[in-house]
Amino acid sequence: MKKRILVTGGTGYIGSHTVVELINAGFEPIIIDNLSNSNIGVLDGIKRITGVEPIFENIDLKDYVSLNKFFQKYEGIEAIINFAASKAVGESVKMPVMYYRNNITSLLNLVELMPKYGINHIVFSSSCTVYGQPDVLPVTEQSPIQPATSPYGYTKQVCENIIRDTVKATVGMKSILLRYFNPIGAHPSAEIGELPNGVPNNLLPFVTQTAIGLRSELKVFGNDYNTPDGSCIRDYIYVVDLAKAHVMAVERMLDKKMKRSVEVFNLGTGTGLSVLEIVNKFMEVSGVNLPYQIAPRREGDIEKVWADPSLANKELGWKADTPLEDVLSSCWKWELKLQERREKDQQNS
């Protein structure tokens, strides 16, 4: 009997790649998503990769009644991986109320219902934004939690505290908080990848959409930061490597290998790369000349941050070791596949 894992936000970017890795590891994932920033066609991509079409329910986690009915319908869920959240720093500055309502209410509903249905394990999709602008780099799990620079980052801080308090108050409940840095790339099959609705908020979809001609030019937000080339520095992690860490976290919980009731792991490569370094490396890998211009700094952006992932390396047995060239190639392969689909749709319309 395969162990059932609920994946909220499972048709999203990181969620869909994690569903693939769960299936590969012998689990039975069940997806909840409201498709607010994802596409139902992702399920077809997952099936083409794995041969399995996962159970899917279109539910908004803010809807307590619908979520309760879901748990009544699906018994035997052993763990939850919670990805469901709005996730763009810049957008959160403009729409803080939406971010607070969506990210926090969703989690509150989940952790309130978990004990009722005997579900004791939750992996939470957190973020390096909880560290704010760190005083010391690289960031370790012991780095102080600084004031958040955006409502998005603050929701992650609040959600982590909600989980800690709930675990403390609930006998047998355990959680692993995964603080990850900047996910990029697509599945090597090019069957799933990052596909935001509307204008992308993340760097790589904007890069590939500009390279393919969907966008006239790329905007690099700021060139006057205190970094070698003036652009922001981030720790860019391959989404498939990241997805595998979630599977390892689930296995660690279910195999009773946790050393504390709440554990925290940074997921990153340990290397900081600037926006301009990524842009130049993409041009080198793809052979496409990318038009870009320097734009004003984006409100809420942190100047530089990268991880010390040694704890995750040691305790989870996990490492992000896919070469950057391969990661950027996967982005481009995915965009080319999307372009084929767009052209086919135009021909059929």
Side-chain angles (χ1 to χ4, degrees):
M1 189 78 175
K2 292 183 176 181
K3 293 177 178 176
R4 279 188 159 176
I5 311 297
L6 170 60
V7 184
T8 70
T11 56
Y13 175 42
I14 307 168
S16 59
H17 286 82
T18 300
V19 167
V20 166
E21 297 306 322
L22 284 166
I23 293 169
N24 290 343
F27 291 100
E28 181 191 11
I30 300 175
I31 297 172
I32 284 179
D33 205 303
N34 67 356
L35 303 176
S36 61
N37 195 30
S38 60
N39 189 294
I40 193 69
V42 167
L43 297 176
D44 296 329
I46 292 169
K47 185 176 182 181
R48 285 192 292 269
I49 294 167
T50 64
V52 174
E53 184 171 346
I55 297 168
F56 170 78
E57 293 282 351
N58 188 336
I59 293 172
D60 189 324
L61 288 190
K62 298 193 298 296
D63 183 344
Y64 184 91
V65 173
S66 295
L67 187 58
N68 190 44
K69 285 179 182 173
F70 167 86
F71 283 120
Q72 290 170 351
K73 181 177 178 181
Y74 295 99
E75 297 177 349
I77 291 169
E78 301 209 21
I80 296 170
I81 306 178
N82 182 35
F83 292 107
S86 302
K87 63 178 182 59
V89 167
E91 183 183 60
S92 78
V93 173
K94 295 172 183 165
M95 307 173 72
V97 173
M98 183 188 87
Y99 271 69
Y100 291 134
R101 182 176 289 125
N102 197 32
N103 296 6
I104 295 172
T105 305
S106 297
L107 179 68
L108 286 171
N109 287 344
L110 269 180
V111 296
E112 187 173 343
L113 286 167
M114 282 173 66
K116 182 177 176 181
Y117 292 97
I119 303 167
N120 290 325
H121 304 105
I122 183 167
V123 176
F124 180 65
S125 163
S126 194
S127 163
C128 65
T129 56
V130 301
Y131 296 113
Q133 178 56 66
D135 295 325
V136 178
L137 291 167
V139 171
T140 72
E141 289 79 1
Q142 281 71 48
S143 295
I145 302 298
Q146 306 273 20
T149 61
S150 68
Y152 166 72
Y154 186 61
T155 66
K156 291 300 183 182
Q157 292 178 348
V158 170
C159 287
E160 285 195 5
N161 287 332
I162 288 168
I163 288 172
R164 288 181 195 280
D165 291 342
T166 307
V167 167
K168 194 182 291 185
T170 311
V171 176
M173 188 171 175
K174 296 185 184 301
S175 180
I176 294 180
L177 313 176
L178 298 179
R179 294 174 180 163
Y180 32 90
F181 287 66
N182 285 62
I184 59 172
H187 194 271
S189 66
E191 293 292 352
I192 56 173
E194 191 167 8
L195 185 57
N197 292 339
V199 179
N201 283 296
N202 292 342
L203 175 62
L204 264 299
F206 217 114
V207 164
T208 58
Q209 288 185 14
T210 304
I212 207 80
L214 284 178
R215 311 277 164 199
S216 58
E217 63 182 5
L218 172 72
K219 286 185 170 64
V220 174
F221 296 107
N223 67 343
D224 56 351
Y225 287 100
N226 183 26
T227 61
D229 62 21
S231 64
C232 290
I233 290 177
R234 297 288 183 270
D235 188 336
Y236 293 95
I237 176 175
Y238 184 35
V239 67
V240 177
D241 292 338
L242 182 58
K244 289 174 180 174
H246 291 78
V247 179
M248 291 174 174
V250 166
E251 290 170 341
R252 182 176 175 85
M253 289 194 298
L254 298 184
D255 294 344
K256 297 182 168 52
K257 291 181 179 176
M258 290 178 66
K259 294 176 179 174
R260 289 171 300 282
S261 54
V262 177
E263 293 184 336
V264 180
F265 296 105
N266 284 340
L267 301 181
T269 64
T271 301
L273 295 170
S274 76
V275 171
L276 289 173
E277 281 180 295
I278 291 288
V279 169
N280 289 323
K281 179 59 77 171
F282 176 82
M283 288 195 279
E284 182 186 313
V285 166
S286 66
V288 177
N289 189 34
L290 204 62
Y292 69 86
Q293 71 162 349
I294 305 300
R297 292 185 182 193
R298 188 170 54 180
E299 197 173 352
D301 272 347
I302 290 166
E303 182 172 86
K304 48 191 170 186
V305 65
W306 63 91
D308 176 350
S310 55
L311 187 66
N313 298 163
K314 180 186 169 196
E315 291 294 328
L316 289 179
W318 170 88
K319 198 164 195 289
D321 53 8
T322 306
L324 181 62
E325 290 82 359
D326 294 352
V327 179
L328 295 176
S329 291
S330 75
C331 293
W332 187 226
K333 186 178 174 186
W334 166 241
E335 190 63 58
L336 291 170
K337 183 86 166 260
L338 290 174
Q339 182 67 3
E340 283 178 22
R341 289 185 201 165
R342 286 189 286 262
E343 289 170 354
K344 196 175 289 182
D345 289 344
Q346 282 179 344
Q347 289 168 3
N348 294 336
S349 62

